[in-house]
Amino acid sequence: GAGVSQTPSNKVTEKGKYVELRCDPISGHTALYWYRQSLGQGPEFLIYFQGTGAADDSGLPNDRFFAVRPEGSVSTLKIQRTERGDSAVYLCASSLTGSDTQYFGPGTRLTVL
Amino acid sequence: EDKVVQSPLSLVVHEGDTVTLNCSYEVTNFRSLLWYKQEKKAPTFLFMLTSSGIEKKSGRLSSILDKKELFSILNITATQTGDSAVYLCAVRLNFGNEKLTFGTGTRLTIIP
């Protein structure tokens, strides 16, 4: 596709459940980023991949959050034992290596009941 | 701690007015500043600025960076209802810091 795609667009789950959010970056972009955006706030960095490896995971809030990018393209953000405070829009972005410009997907709105 | 502050938090103007949005930053090892427009969920890229005093322009939108005073402005002239959105400012640092640090955004509403 032409842009970054994310699925699902909306996810409603119950407290304690496990969720997976998927990101498909722009073709050829080796850098991939996950951000989380709460209502009324700017996006907050979670994790950055260069190729298949997580080069910076300093933004992951705790060990319930994990992300993978096994083939250097699609990435999955995994959240275990979800809590109500995890409710937010999860944004994915990609860029060419060395470029400052990150291109964002439409996000997944996660609601934990 | 690195900080990006945007002002005003919200702004309501009439169609045809000109607006100026502000972004100031306090960071170590500044590399670049980026502006995004967020209408629903996906922030869309507007400008990237790295050098002081050089205006970037796209249609009715323009932006400039002042690295001495540590701020940037985004100007929109002859506003239209389609300009209504949240405008986000973000800063990227040097030395292997690949993430963007965002401000809270300015919510702009254009009244017809």
Side-chain angles (χ1 to χ4, degrees):
Chain A
V4 178
S5 61
Q6 293 187 245
T7 55
S9 56
N10 287 284
K11 176 72 177 177
V12 180
T13 190
E14 293 179 341
K15 181 174 177 294
K17 299 289 188 184
Y18 168 83
V19 296
E20 289 190 351
L21 312 179
R22 176 188 165 111
C23 172
D24 203 336
I26 293 171
S27 178
H29 281 194
T30 55
L32 184 145
Y33 313 80
W34 284 98
Y35 293 82
R36 178 168 72 172
Q37 187 174 25
S38 300
L39 194 62
Q41 303 295 315
E44 292 181 315
F45 171 78
L46 295 176
I47 187 170
Y48 154 62
F49 285 89
Q50 181 57 249
T52 59
D56 181 356
D57 64 357
S58 62
L60 294 177
N62 52 60
D63 61 5
R64 295 187 298 105
F65 289 75
F66 189 70
V68 296
R69 196 185 184 200
E71 296 178 0
S73 179
V74 170
S75 176
T76 305
L77 178 66
K78 308 180 181 196
I79 311 174
Q80 298 178 322
R81 305 184 303 280
T82 52
E83 299 176 358
R84 292 194 181 89
D86 299 335
S87 297
V89 174
Y90 289 80
L91 293 165
C92 176
S94 70
S95 71
L96 291 167
T97 300
S99 170
D100 289 8
T101 305
Q102 297 180 18
Y103 296 92
F104 283 82
T108 294
R109 185 179 298 280
L110 176 66
T111 303
V112 182
L113 302 176
Chain B
E1 183 182 338
D2 299 322
K3 194 163 58 171
V4 178
V5 178
Q6 293 188 244
S7 64
L9 291 181
S10 67
L11 186 58
V12 181
V13 300
H14 287 95
E15 202 167 21
D17 289 352
T18 292
V19 297
T20 298
L21 309 183
N22 303 288
C23 175
S24 63
Y25 58 93
E26 291 180 27
V27 302
T28 52
N29 298 310
F30 173 87
R31 173 172 161 144
S32 60
L33 184 146
L34 294 88
W35 284 96
Y36 288 85
K37 177 183 181 183
Q38 187 174 31
E39 293 180 81
K40 290 187 179 175
K41 284 194 289 186
T44 54
F45 172 74
L46 295 175
F47 298 113
M48 185 185 75
L49 304 151
T50 56
S51 301
S52 275
I54 299 175
E55 185 184 54
K56 293 281 184 88
K57 194 169 171 65
S58 175
R60 297 176 294 104
L61 278 67
S62 63
S63 184
I64 198 161
L65 175 68
D66 186 326
K67 290 169 73 173
K68 183 180 175 187
E69 300 298 329
L70 308 184
F71 77 91
S72 174
I73 59 172
L74 175 68
N75 278 319
I76 310 175
T77 60
T79 52
Q80 302 172 357
T81 55
D83 296 327
S84 295
V86 173
Y87 289 83
L88 294 164
C89 171
V91 169
R92 181 169 167 185
L93 309 181
N94 267 319
F95 305 126
N97 280 292
E98 305 293 333
K99 68 180 181 182
L100 295 177
T101 300
F102 282 86
T104 55
T106 293
R107 179 173 294 279
L108 176 64
T109 303
I110 310 298
I111 300 172

